[in-house]
Amino acid sequence: MVNYNAQLDRTFAALVDPTRRAILARLEREDGATVSELAKPFAIKLPAVMKHLDVLDDAGLITRSKVGRTVTVRLSPEPMRAAVEWLRRYERFWSRSLDRLAAYAERKEAEARKSGR
Amino acid sequence: MTSLTLVRRIAARPSIVFDALTTPDGIACWWGPDAGPVLLAETDVRIGGRFRVRFRMLDGSEHESSGEYLEVVRPERLAMSWRWQGSEDPGESLVEIDLRASAEGTELTFTHSRLRDEDSRRSHEEGWNGALDKLQRHFSVTDRRYS
């Protein structure tokens, strides 16, 4: 559970950055891309892209495999699934709780009006 | 992708909604995903004060969460840290609730995020560039709004 927790924190921290999100979205579309292909759309230098890939790799969100001089990057979906599951659990809890909150507050409002407040 | 956002339009004035969110009597009436009872509700509604709520679900399982109030602006805004007791989701997260008066009553915007402080603010300021929309579809999350 502690590892699971640390993993979630790493996943969400990695997802904060828009460049890293764009890289993940592209890998989702293309099922594998080389580092230079990934770097192309961004106005940043290759070493900066490599740093982003390191963060994504540390978070377990991508895998890198080297054939000759070419490094191919692929999406590793498991941490994303865990992150989505985390959001879903809270979505279930809060969506229903807030519906009940709304109903309760509306009853209270009706009572307040009735008693002229 | 790093937070959950829900919006509710409520036919009640913001002060009534705020009190429903923060008083033990109010919390006892709505907290939890089903009609199971709230077993304990304690709140100390001031910055640095704490809350603790324990509830039982209809399947008999009991859950408890607690945290610290980080922002208290009645009746507009509430922010608190959040932690489940036990091991079901270890680690701390952040709950933010904004209440805006509307013609109808109150528009409530609720956010639960994993990230705190700087990370969370940065994420919100950058906004959502849509890059992960496709990823979310990939994981078949289509009918919910995550930002």
Side-chain angles (χ1 to χ4, degrees):
Chain A
M1 266 320 213
V2 171
N3 287 339
Y4 171 74
N5 186 39
Q7 174 63 60
L8 265 182
D9 285 341
R10 274 202 300 276
T11 302
F12 281 118
L15 290 173
V16 163
D17 185 272
T19 303
R20 292 198 287 271
R21 290 200 297 259
I23 290 172
L24 289 174
R26 175 151 178 208
L27 290 173
E28 198 276 329
R29 282 196 307 274
E30 297 185 9
D31 190 36
T34 66
V35 173
S36 52
E37 283 168 356
L38 286 175
K40 223 175 227 171
F42 301 111
I44 51 175
K45 296 229 159 30
L46 201 59
V49 173
M50 296 297 283
K51 269 190 191 159
H52 284 306
L53 292 178
D54 286 342
V55 174
L56 291 171
D57 202 342
D58 289 346
L61 288 159
I62 59 165
T63 59
R64 285 184 281 196
S65 54
K66 196 171 178 184
V67 176
R69 299 180 61 182
T70 308
V71 177
T72 302
V73 184
R74 285 198 171 76
L75 190 68
S76 177
E78 208 40 55
M80 276 293 296
R81 279 190 216 287
V84 169
E85 180 52 33
W86 185 90
L87 288 168
R88 277 186 174 166
R89 281 186 57 193
Y90 278 105
E91 200 271 344
R92 282 196 293 271
F93 176 83
W94 283 115
S95 186
R96 294 170 192 172
S97 290
L98 292 179
D99 286 346
R100 285 150 50 85
L101 166 81
Y104 169 77
E106 286 174 3
R107 276 202 310 279
K108 283 288 182 195
E109 176 70 38
E111 281 170 27
R113 286 191 184 197
K114 219 182 231 172
S115 61
R117 276 176 287 149
Chain B
M1 201 60 240
T2 53
S3 66
L4 162 72
T5 300
L6 299 166
V7 178
R8 290 288 183 280
R9 286 173 190 83
I10 303 173
R13 69 197 84 167
S15 61
I16 284 179
V17 178
F18 189 92
D19 291 348
L21 284 163
T22 52
T23 60
D25 286 351
I27 285 171
C29 293
W30 62 267
W31 192 284
D34 64 25
V38 169
L39 305 171
L40 173 150
E42 294 170 355
T43 61
D44 179 10
V45 191
R46 56 191 171 89
I47 292 170
R50 299 191 62 83
F51 74 91
R52 185 158 78 102
V53 182
R54 186 170 184 84
F55 65 96
R56 185 188 301 135
M57 287 177 64
L58 294 176
D59 67 7
S61 63
E62 290 187 12
H63 308 268
E64 182 175 314
S65 52
S66 61
E68 181 185 330
Y69 290 107
L70 305 171
E71 291 174 58
V72 178
V73 187
R74 185 180 188 273
E76 291 160 22
R77 182 170 161 83
L78 196 62
M80 59 220 194
S81 64
W82 177 280
R83 183 184 284 275
W84 290 105
Q85 198 208 35
S87 58
E88 58 186 306
D89 177 29
E92 201 168 59
S93 49
L94 173 69
V95 170
E96 295 165 275
I97 300 167
D98 286 293
L99 305 176
R100 199 173 56 82
S102 65
E104 196 185 356
T106 302
E107 184 178 273
L108 178 153
T109 304
F110 172 95
T111 305
H112 199 139
S113 54
R114 183 77 188 184
L115 298 168
R116 296 199 52 191
D117 308 331
E118 272 313 305
D119 279 347
S120 178
R121 244 196 308 282
R122 243 181 81 207
S123 178
H124 288 149
E125 279 167 12
E126 283 166 358
W128 184 232
N129 65 3
L132 274 200
D133 288 355
K134 287 193 175 64
L135 270 179
Q136 290 187 25
R137 277 201 289 282
H138 182 69
F139 293 96
S140 64
V141 182
T142 50
D143 55 347
R144 296 167 174 85
R145 182 179 150 217
Y146 299 135
S147 57

